[in-house]
Amino acid sequence: MLNFEEELEKFQPSPDIEKVEDIVYGSSMTDVTDIVKELIKDSRSTL
């Protein structure tokens, strides 16, 4: 039978995954929220 606690102790995260996480979290990507904020700002300035 599988010992869950024992398996967790042996777990080592993949270095590739950690690199990707650093890139994704460290980048300043434009998301939908940023686009909506910019549209609202632009619409207010044209009124």
Side-chain angles (χ1 to χ4, degrees), residues 4-45:
F4 187 70
E5 297 297 325
E6 185 179 308
E7 294 300 319
L8 278 176
E9 289 175 10
K10 292 191 263 181
F11 175 75
Q12 294 183 358
S14 170
D16 293 335
I17 299 298
E18 290 182 5
K19 287 179 188 176
V20 170
E21 286 177 344
D22 291 342
I23 291 169
V24 168
Y25 291 125
S27 67
S28 60
M29 296 171 32
T30 301
D31 64 2
V32 174
T33 306
D34 295 331
I35 294 170
V36 170
K37 285 179 183 178
E38 190 65 31
L39 288 170
I40 291 170
K41 186 173 110 181
D42 289 348
S43 69
R44 288 181 179 170
S45 66

